Amino acid sequence: MLKIYNTLTRKKEIFKPRIEGKVGMYVCGMTVYDYCHIGHARVMVVFDTVARYIRDSGYELTYVRNITDIDDKIIHRANENGEDFNLLTARFIEAMHEDERALGVLPPDIEPKATQSIDDIVAMIETLIINGLAYVGGNGDVFYAVAKFKNYGRLSGKNLEDLQAGERVDVDLAKRNPLDFVLWKMAKPEEPSWESPWGAGRPGWHIECSAMSTCCLGNHFDIHGGGMDLQFPHHENEIAQSEGATGETFVNLWMHNGFVRINEEKMSKSLGNFFTVREVLKQYKPEIIRFFILSSHYRSPLNYADEQLNDAGSALKRLYTALRGVTIAEPGADLNELDALSVRVLDETRECMSAFRKKFKDAMDDDFNTPVALSVLFDLARELNKVKESEYLVAEVLAVTLTELGSVLGLLQDEPDDFLKSGAVDDESLTTEAIEQQIQARLEAKQAKNWALADQLRDELRVQGVVLEDVPNGTTSWRRE
RNA sequence: GGCUGCGUAGCAAAACGGUUAUGCAGUGGCCUGCAAAGCCAUCUACGGCGGUUCGACUCCGCCCGCAGCCUCCA
C-alpha cells in the first residue's frame, strides 16, 4: 500500500488515484537557459524513480514534465549572447536530454513546451478575467488578483496578511495589490512576443504550468511535483490559476523534493555555488551520481561532497562485484532438467526472495524510502556473495532479484564487468589490451613463483588505477578505481 | 519578524515506544604466495534539559544549533 507525503496536508497519505489503476503526474521541469546542475539532476532522478515505482506497482502512469522555454532570464541570456532565444533554448534542451540519458532518467510521456502552449495559456487567462480573478493593470500587463482567491497560501502555509506584512520593496504601481502576479506580460520592442487580446506579449512565469498540466492531464489530476522552492510562489500561484479557471480541485497530492546543498548551504544559481551535471560527470560515472541522489530520502537535504560521491562509488562497486560472474538465467529455463534437490533449494530460495522483495516494496511504499530500499540490495548482495561459489543456481536467482529490484531504482542495469572496468571518463592512457598483457605477464611470473616481479607488475597497474583480483580458478580479473 | 523542516555513531543515511538498519572507514579472524574481492566477528549513536511511560533515539514541552521559504531559483 503506497503512502506518499502530501505537502498540502503535511502528512503521509495512502495513495489513491482518482481513476483506479491510472495515475497522472506533472513535474515542473527546467527553465532552459543554462546547463542543468546537480539540483536539477535531483529532481529528474527523484521523479524518474517515483515514475518507475508507480509503474512497477501496476499503475498506468502518464508522466508530464514541462519545459519552460520563454521567460525573462531566457530573453536576457539570449540578448547577452546576441542570438535568437529559440537557438538558445534548443541548445539547452538538447543538453538537458543528454544529461538525463546519462543519469538513466527515462523520458516523460509528454514534455510540453511553453512556447507551444500559447493558445491554451491565452485561453486560461481569458477565463480568469471573465471569472473576475484577473485584470489588466496600468501598464497593460495582465495580473492575477490574489485577494480574490479564497485559498491563497494554503499549500505553502502562508496567509495574505503575513505575506503583506513581509518586507516587500515591490512598488509596482501597475498592480492593485503588491502580491498580485503577472499572467501576461506586454512585450517591449525587440522582445519575442505572441499576439493576444491584450496585445503582443508573453506569458508570466506561473501560467504556463497551469495551462500545460491541465491540458495534458485534465483539470484535476493526481500528483504534482517539483523542488521545495517552487512551493511558494510558483505552485501556490498554479493552484490559484488552475482552480480559478476551472472551478475544480487542481491536484490531489503535492510532492516536493529537498535541496542539494554545498557546505550546508543551498546549491543555487544565484549563490553561484553549483556544479553542472556535465562537470560532475567528468569525475564520476553517471550511475554513481544516481546512487548518490537515491542514497538519501527525497525530502531530506542532500549535501554534495566528494567524500560522499566516492562512498557512493564504493557502494556501487560492491553491488556490481557481487553480480560479477553470475550469468542471469532466462526465467524458467531448463527447470525440468534440475534434480529434486535443486528444485527444493530453488523453492526455498524463491521464498527467501519474496522476503527481500517485500522489504524492498515496504520501503518504497513508505513515501519512496530509497535509502532503505538500497539497503535491501546490499542484503541481497551479501547473500549472493555467500553462495556464489557453492550454489550456483541459488546465486542466479539472487542475481536476478538484485538486478530486478535495481531496475526499479534505475540502477545495476550495466554488465558488471562494463561497470567495473570503466573509468569516469574514457581515458585512453591505459587500454584494456595493455592491462590484459600486463596481467598475462604477471600470471607467468606467478607460475615461476617470481613473487617480486608479480607484485611489481600488480603495483604498476595499481598506480594507474587498475586493481587486480586473483580468482581461485587461476585467472585474474581487474577493475578500475 | 512569520511559516516549514532538521539535529543519529569517524563519515553518510534509515527505521522503530522495548529486538542487527545499511554503505564507507576502523579493529580482529578466515581465505590468499602476498594482496584485492569476499565471508565471519567487533568498536564508535541517537543536540541539551525536563515530562508522559514499566520502558523513549522514537511521544510531549522548553532550550540550543542548522537549513529552507516569505524576491528569481529544482
Side-chain angles (χ1 to χ4, degrees):
Chain A
M1 190 168 53
L2 177 58
K3 284 201 262 183
I4 306 178
Y5 182 87
N6 189 352
T7 307
L8 207 51
T9 57
R10 316 251 166 215
K11 282 191 302 230
K12 282 184 203 171
E13 295 175 359
I14 293 169
F15 178 62
K16 195 170 179 303
R18 293 179 55 247
I19 301 164
E20 189 169 337
K22 294 194 176 181
V23 179
M25 176 165 82
Y26 182 92
V27 173
C28 287
M30 312 307 139
T31 300
V32 281
Y33 67 99
D34 208 340
Y35 292 114
C36 295
H37 64 225
I38 296 297
H40 298 120
R42 191 177 192 189
V43 183
M44 300 193 288
V45 168
V46 161
F47 285 101
D48 176 62
T49 307
V50 167
R52 285 171 188 256
Y53 187 66
I54 285 176
R55 292 207 167 96
D56 189 68
S57 302
Y59 295 104
E60 190 184 310
L61 172 72
T62 305
Y63 174 25
V64 182
R65 196 193 50 209
N66 75 291
I67 295 175
T68 297
D69 59 349
I70 179 67
D71 92 321
D72 290 357
K73 288 189 293 293
I74 291 171
I75 293 171
H76 183 72
R77 181 65 57 89
N79 285 342
E80 273 180 0
N81 296 353
E83 67 180 326
D84 187 276
F85 83 98
N86 281 309
L87 292 174
L88 176 88
T89 55
R91 195 164 68 246
F92 286 114
I93 288 170
E94 181 49 38
M96 175 183 83
H97 286 151
E98 277 173 19
D99 291 342
E100 283 186 303
R101 283 192 291 273
L103 294 172
V105 171
L106 302 171
D109 299 295
I110 310 175
E111 195 170 45
K113 293 183 182 132
T115 55
Q116 290 171 0
S117 312
I118 301 292
D119 291 348
D120 299 321
I121 290 169
V122 168
M124 186 174 261
I125 297 173
E126 284 184 302
T127 309
L128 287 170
I129 292 176
I130 291 167
N131 292 353
L133 293 164
Y135 61 95
V136 178
N139 59 356
D141 290 357
V142 184
F143 294 98
Y144 192 102
V146 160
K148 296 272 177 71
F149 185 73
K150 58 183 186 312
N151 281 331
Y152 195 78
R154 191 173 149 225
L155 175 70
S156 51
K158 304 184 186 306
N159 59 59
L160 283 174
E161 295 76 58
D162 289 348
L163 285 168
Q164 254 138 14
E167 284 182 35
R168 293 179 124 256
V169 202
D170 196 339
V171 277
D172 192 341
L173 296 173
K175 297 181 187 178
R176 291 180 191 165
N177 181 323
L179 295 174
D180 291 350
F181 56 92
V182 187
L183 296 169
W184 189 261
K185 202 164 183 164
M186 299 306 287
K188 298 193 186 80
E190 308 292 308
E191 281 185 349
S193 65
W194 291 262
E195 282 308 317
S196 83
W198 317 284
R202 64 176 182 276
W205 173 36
H206 315 289
I207 190 71
E208 90 277 21
C209 279
S210 280
M212 289 187 272
S213 59
T214 50
C215 282
C216 295
L217 294 169
N219 292 345
H220 181 186
F221 57 93
D222 300 296
I223 302 174
H224 191 129
M228 296 265 297
D229 48 356
L230 296 184
Q231 248 172 73
F232 188 91
H234 186 59
H235 288 163
E236 201 68 71
N237 292 352
E238 271 190 61
I239 294 173
Q241 292 163 342
S242 300
E243 300 195 350
T246 68
E248 295 177 47
T249 299
F250 179 39
V251 167
N252 283 351
L253 204 154
W254 288 86
M255 290 180 69
H256 293 98
N257 66 274
F259 291 127
V260 176
R261 304 204 292 199
I262 293 189
N263 298 325
E264 304 302 311
E265 202 178 40
K266 176 182 173 180
M267 176 187 284
S268 78
K269 295 204 173 165
S270 42
L271 288 169
N273 62 346
F274 62 91
F275 292 92
T276 63
V277 172
R278 46 198 55 210
E279 272 177 302
V280 177
L281 281 172
K282 286 180 191 156
Q283 211 182 335
Y284 299 99
K285 292 179 232 183
E287 195 171 350
I288 292 176
I289 300 171
R290 188 170 176 111
F291 184 98
F292 164 67
I293 290 170
L294 295 177
S295 67
S296 84
H297 185 84
Y298 76 90
R299 283 189 285 117
S300 304
L302 177 62
N303 209 46
Y304 181 91
D306 281 335
E307 188 187 358
Q308 294 188 50
L309 268 300
N310 290 330
D311 281 356
S314 304
L316 215 38
K317 183 205 74 193
R318 177 171 165 80
L319 295 176
Y320 271 120
T321 304
L323 287 169
R324 182 171 59 181
V326 186
T327 51
I328 308 291
E330 299 290 317
D334 297 332
L335 261 190
N336 302 331
E337 293 174 22
L338 297 178
D339 57 42
L341 178 66
S342 301
V343 169
R344 190 174 60 75
V345 168
L346 276 180
D347 282 346
E348 281 173 14
T349 307
R350 287 209 186 82
E351 265 175 50
C352 176
M353 285 315 93
S354 69
F356 281 118
R357 283 176 193 278
K358 181 177 187 308
K359 199 176 163 197
F360 183 90
K361 181 173 161 34
D362 286 349
M364 291 300 282
D365 272 349
D366 184 15
D367 196 27
F368 309 100
N369 194 332
T370 53
V372 173
L374 286 174
S375 79
V376 177
L377 303 189
F378 289 101
D379 292 341
L380 270 163
R382 169 164 287 117
E383 290 307 309
L384 178 49
N385 283 328
K386 276 197 252 186
V387 301
K388 215 160 144 182
E389 303 303 329
S390 53
E391 300 177 83
Y392 198 78
L393 286 169
V394 176
E396 276 189 20
V397 176
L398 283 157
V400 170
T401 309
L402 180 51
T403 314
E404 281 179 8
L405 294 183
S407 80
V408 177
L409 302 173
L411 298 171
L412 303 180
Q413 301 307 294
D414 278 357
E415 279 299 313
D417 265 339
D418 290 347
F419 179 87
L420 294 167
K421 292 185 175 178
S422 67
V425 205
D426 300 325
D427 71 51
E428 57 279 11
S429 60
L430 195 59
T431 63
T432 300
E433 291 71 41
I435 294 167
E436 304 281 4
Q437 257 176 25
Q438 186 97 333
I439 288 174
Q440 194 51 43
R442 176 171 167 271
L443 281 176
E444 283 161 21
K446 276 178 69 178
Q447 272 156 16
K449 299 233 187 304
N450 186 348
W451 306 127
L453 177 60
D455 290 355
Q456 185 203 321
L457 293 169
R458 183 172 61 195
D459 290 345
E460 281 172 16
L461 286 172
R462 187 73 188 77
V463 171
Q464 296 177 85
V466 174
V467 181
L468 300 192
E469 295 168 3
D470 290 338
V471 183
N473 67 14
T475 62
T476 296
S477 62
W478 61 275
R479 63 185 160 84
R480 285 187 209 268
E481 287 234 299

